[in-house]
Amino acid sequence: MKNLSKICLLLCLWCCGLAHAGASHYNTDSLLRVLDATIDSTDAYEGALRARIRPHRVAFENATSLEGRMREADWLFKVYKRFRVDSAMYFARERVKMAAEFPSPDSLLYAKINEADALKRYGRFRDGIDVLNSLPRNEYIRNSKYFYNVYFSILNSTITTAYGPEEYALMKKLHSAYRDTIFAMNLDTPSLNCANRAEMLKAQGKFDEALKVLLDAQGFHASAVVGDPVYWAVLADTYKQKGDMEGAKYCYAMSALLDKRNCNKTYTSLQNLAGLLFGEGDTDRAYRYITTSMTDVREAHALSRLALVGEYLPIITTAYDKKRQSKALWRMITIGFSVVVAIVLGFLLVQLWRRTKKLANMRKKLAERNEQLHQLNHQLHAMNSALKESNIIKEVYIGQLFNLCSGYIGQIEDFRIGLIGKLKSGKVKDVERALNQSTANAQLKSLFKNFDRVFLEIFPNFVADFNALLQPGEEITPKPGELLSPELRIYALVRLGINDSTKIAEFLHYSVQTVYNYRQRTRNKANMTREEFVARVQSL
C-alpha cells in the first residue's frame, strides 16, 4: 500500500508538471479537496495504524528475551514518536532500562538519544539537551547521524528561547555547526539531504539556489521526495520566503496530506497552510485545519507543537466567529424581509378581497348575505389553521379578521337603516321584506362565538391565567353556554394588542362608556395598578 501511494503521488507530480515548474502549475484546489477527504478519513487511517501496532505491543509484553523486547520497544518508539508522544516516551525509557542490562554499551547510548528525542517532542527542550550533553563523545556518538539530527532539531526548536544575547549567539553557532555536520555526514535519505542543503543555502540568503536544489530533487530523487512530508514542508517554506504564496500553499498541502495519511500528529504544515488560507480569506477551511491541528497536538501530547498552533488559533477562531455571526445576521435580515413582504402581500390581498366583496354586495340582494357570512366563517377556519405557524402572525391575523367581520356587520346595519329610509319614502312592501330578513344581532352573536372559540384555541389557558390576576373570590366565570363573558372578551382584545377603548367599543358594538365601565370594574378586582394590570394581561 505504501508503494502504491507513492506511485500515485509520483504520477500526480508528473501530470501536474511540477519538476522545475513555477507555482502557477500547481493544481492547488484539487489537492485541497484531496486533503479534506483525507482529514475526513482520519479514523480509518488511525484505525489501520493501531491494528499494525497491536501485535507489536503484544510481542513486547510477551517477549522472552531481552533482545526481542528491546527490538519491539524500538519499533514502537519509532511509530509512537509522531503519533503519541507519551507512549513514545514510555518505550524510550523502557529501552533505557533494558539497555542498561544489555552487553553492548552503544545500545544504551542509542536508547538515551531516543529519550532525548521524546523529550524534545514533549516540549522539554532543555531536558533533551541535558540528556544529549551527558553522553560521552566516543566513536559511536561521533558517527551517529541520529545523535546529530536530534541535537540539531532541539537547537532548531529552542534557538528563539535563549536566555540573553550571549546564549543566543552560542546556540546560533551550534545550530549552524550541527547543520553542517548533518549535511557532511550525508544522511541515508536523499530528500533529507536536499532539505538540509536547501536550509543551509537559505541561511546564507541564497533562496534561488535553495529552490533549485529542491526542485532538482524531483528529477534526481523523485521516488524519495514524493512521499517525504519534510521535503515538501521545506519546499513550502522556501516558496513562502520568496513570496510565492501559491507554491507555498500547494507544498504545505502536500506535506499535510502525507502527514495525515501517515498518522503523523507532530506536524507543522497544516498549521502553516491554515495561516496562508486565512490570509486569503478562506476562513472556513483555515478554521477547520487549525482546529484539526489542535486536536492532533492534544491527542499526541506533542507540546512542542502547541505554541505554533496557538499563534494561529485565536486569530482564525475570531475571524471565523465574525464570519459566522455576519452570515447569521444576513440570514435573519433575509428572513425578516421575507416575512415583512409576505405580511404586506397578505394585507394587500385581503384588502383587494374585501373591496371585491364590497362591490359584489352592492349588486346582490339581501338574501345572499347568509351565504357571504358562511364564506367568512370558512375563511376564519382557514385563517385559524395558518395562525398556528407563529404567535405573532396569529395575533395580527385574528385582529384583522375580527375588524373585517365587525365592519361587515356595521355595513349590514347601515344597509338596514337605509331600507328604513326607503320605507319612509313610500317603498313599503320591498323594504318591509328586507327589514324582516335583518339578522345583524344573530350575526353579531355568531361572530362573538367564533371569536371566543378561535381565541381560546390559541390561548386555551387565558381564562384561568386572567383570573389568577384577580383577588381571591373576584374571579370572572362565563355564563353557561358562553365561552367568554363581556369582560373577558374585552380583555381578550387587550391581549391581542387592542387597548384603545374606542376601538374595542367599535369591535364589540358597545358604547365607549360601557367598555370603560367593564374595564374599570375589572381593574378594581385586581391587586395592582392600572398600567401593571394591562401589561400583565398583554403578556398572558
Side-chain angles (χ1 to χ4, degrees):
M1 287 298 293
K2 279 187 175 181
N3 292 334
L4 181 61
S5 298
K6 287 186 177 181
I7 291 171
C8 292
L9 285 171
L10 185 57
L11 288 174
C12 291
L13 186 67
W14 287 338
C15 291
C16 293
L18 294 181
H20 305 283
S24 60
H25 292 271
Y26 291 120
N27 192 355
T28 307
D29 291 338
S30 297
L31 183 59
L32 289 177
R33 287 193 291 270
V34 174
L35 177 58
D36 291 338
T38 302
I39 292 174
D40 292 335
S41 303
T42 295
D43 291 343
Y45 285 108
E46 292 185 5
L49 179 61
R50 289 189 178 93
R52 287 176 52 214
I53 290 174
R54 197 173 296 115
H56 288 275
R57 295 201 65 147
V58 173
F60 171 78
E61 296 295 338
N62 299 330
T64 57
S65 67
L66 183 61
E67 184 177 2
R69 187 174 171 85
M70 288 175 62
R71 183 173 57 251
E72 294 300 333
D74 185 51
W75 188 93
L76 289 166
F77 170 79
K78 290 177 180 177
V79 172
Y80 274 126
K81 69 180 182 178
R82 292 182 176 86
F83 183 57
R84 286 293 300 265
V85 177
D86 54 342
S87 297
M89 176 66 77
Y90 169 77
F91 287 107
R93 287 178 170 170
E94 285 296 304
R95 202 176 188 290
V96 169
K97 294 177 185 177
M98 292 183 287
E101 304 174 8
F102 199 69
S104 171
D106 294 345
S107 179
L108 179 59
L109 297 177
Y110 177 78
K112 285 286 188 179
I113 299 172
N114 282 352
E115 183 181 9
D117 194 358
L119 287 168
K120 176 255 179 184
R121 296 172 190 276
Y122 245 135
R124 296 168 57 182
F125 306 122
R126 297 186 180 276
D127 290 341
I129 289 180
D130 290 342
V131 170
L132 295 176
N133 286 338
S134 70
L135 301 181
R137 296 304 191 266
N138 57 16
E139 183 178 357
Y140 174 81
I141 293 297
R142 287 196 300 272
N143 295 307
S144 174
K145 300 175 183 179
Y146 183 34
F147 170 83
Y148 288 105
N149 192 50
V150 172
Y151 210 122
F152 172 76
S153 65
I154 295 178
L155 287 172
N156 196 50
S157 299
T158 59
I159 195 167
T160 58
T161 62
Y163 300 133
E166 293 183 1
E167 186 177 10
Y168 177 81
L170 175 61
M171 294 181 70
K172 190 75 173 176
K173 183 178 180 180
L174 287 172
H175 180 266
S176 178
Y178 274 93
R179 187 195 299 280
D180 293 343
T181 302
I182 290 172
F183 182 73
M185 294 182 75
N186 190 19
L187 296 178
D188 298 332
T189 306
S191 60
L192 289 180
N193 280 328
C194 294
N196 284 332
R197 176 60 178 164
E199 291 291 354
M200 291 176 64
L201 290 170
K202 287 195 293 182
Q204 300 170 20
K206 301 176 181 180
F207 297 107
D208 291 333
E209 294 182 32
L211 182 61
K212 185 177 184 304
V213 168
L214 293 168
L215 292 178
D216 286 346
Q218 296 177 11
F220 300 141
H221 309 290
S223 60
V225 303
V226 72
D228 187 352
V230 175
Y231 165 82
W232 289 104
V234 173
L235 182 55
D237 290 337
T238 306
Y239 273 130
K240 184 177 180 181
Q241 288 171 319
K242 284 178 60 62
D244 187 348
M245 296 307 170
E246 189 63 27
K249 187 167 63 173
Y250 182 92
C251 295
Y252 278 137
M254 280 291 295
S255 179
L257 177 63
L258 293 167
D259 283 328
K260 293 301 293 181
R261 286 183 174 177
N262 294 330
C263 301
N264 176 17
K265 294 178 179 288
T266 61
Y267 51 74
T268 60
S269 296
L270 192 61
Q271 299 96 300
N272 292 331
L273 177 60
L276 289 182
L277 292 173
F278 174 70
E280 294 179 355
D282 190 354
T283 309
D284 291 337
R285 189 172 259 147
Y287 178 78
R288 187 190 186 200
Y289 288 172
I290 202 67
T291 52
T292 298
S293 301
M294 178 62 78
T295 300
D296 285 346
V297 166
R298 186 177 62 251
E299 290 179 353
H301 299 279
L303 302 182
S304 61
R305 303 301 188 195
L306 190 60
L308 179 61
V309 179
E311 291 177 5
Y312 291 115
L313 187 60
I315 301 172
I316 296 177
T317 301
T318 301
Y320 181 80
D321 289 341
K322 288 182 178 179
K323 183 176 180 180
R324 185 173 56 183
Q325 292 171 3
S326 178
K327 286 183 178 179
L329 177 61
W330 277 110
R331 186 162 51 248
M332 291 177 62
I333 291 173
T334 302
I335 293 173
F337 180 75
S338 300
V339 170
V340 171
V341 170
I343 292 174
V344 172
L345 182 59
F347 177 77
L348 293 176
L349 290 175
V350 170
Q351 292 299 319
L352 179 61
W353 178 82
R354 289 179 62 186
R355 288 180 178 275
T356 302
K357 284 296 180 182
K358 183 176 180 180
L359 292 173
N361 289 337
M362 293 175 64
R363 295 190 298 267
K364 293 179 182 180
K365 296 182 180 180
L366 191 59
E368 297 173 346
R369 289 177 298 171
N370 291 331
E371 179 63 22
Q372 294 170 356
L373 186 58
H374 174 73
Q375 293 176 359
L376 288 175
N377 288 333
H378 177 73
Q379 292 167 4
L380 177 62
H381 179 73
M383 290 180 179
N384 180 45
S385 299
L387 288 174
K388 294 179 180 179
E389 297 179 358
S390 168
N391 286 335
I392 297 175
I393 297 177
K394 287 174 184 178
E395 294 175 5
V396 174
Y397 213 98
I398 290 174
Q400 290 178 347
L401 183 59
F402 191 77
N403 188 24
L404 171 66
C405 295
S406 179
Y408 182 74
I409 292 171
Q411 293 173 14
I412 294 174
E413 279 300 299
D414 292 341
F415 184 77
R416 190 178 66 83
I417 293 171
L419 291 179
I420 293 174
K422 290 182 180 181
L423 179 62
K424 293 179 181 180
S425 300
K427 299 177 182 180
V428 177
K429 293 183 179 180
D430 293 340
V431 175
E432 183 178 4
R433 184 169 55 254
L435 288 175
N436 290 335
Q437 295 176 352
S438 176
T439 58
N441 290 333
Q443 291 167 354
L444 184 61
K445 291 180 179 179
S446 175
L447 182 62
F448 286 169
K449 184 175 181 181
N450 284 331
F451 171 78
D452 295 349
R453 176 178 57 80
V454 172
F455 180 82
L456 291 177
E457 285 180 0
I458 300 172
F459 305 100
N461 300 322
F462 176 77
V463 175
D465 293 342
F466 182 83
N467 282 326
L469 302 178
L470 305 180
Q471 299 178 15
E474 299 292 345
E475 293 82 359
I476 300 174
T477 304
K479 295 179 180 179
E482 291 184 349
L483 297 176
L484 294 176
S485 66
E487 297 95 325
L488 292 173
R489 194 174 294 117
I490 288 171
Y491 279 98
L493 290 172
V494 173
R495 173 62 184 85
L496 294 176
I498 305 172
N499 193 38
D500 184 44
S501 295
T502 302
K503 291 184 177 180
I504 295 174
E506 292 176 357
F507 290 157
L508 301 180
H509 284 258
Y510 295 160
S511 68
V512 176
Q513 185 62 42
T514 300
V515 172
Y516 175 80
N517 292 339
Y518 274 131
R519 296 184 70 172
Q520 184 65 31
R521 188 163 55 247
T522 305
R523 281 198 300 268
N524 291 338
K525 296 179 180 181
N527 54 0
M528 61 191 73
T529 63
R530 175 177 177 271
E531 292 75 12
E532 184 180 0
F533 182 69
V534 172
R536 293 285 295 276
V537 171
Q538 291 177 339
S539 65
L540 291 178

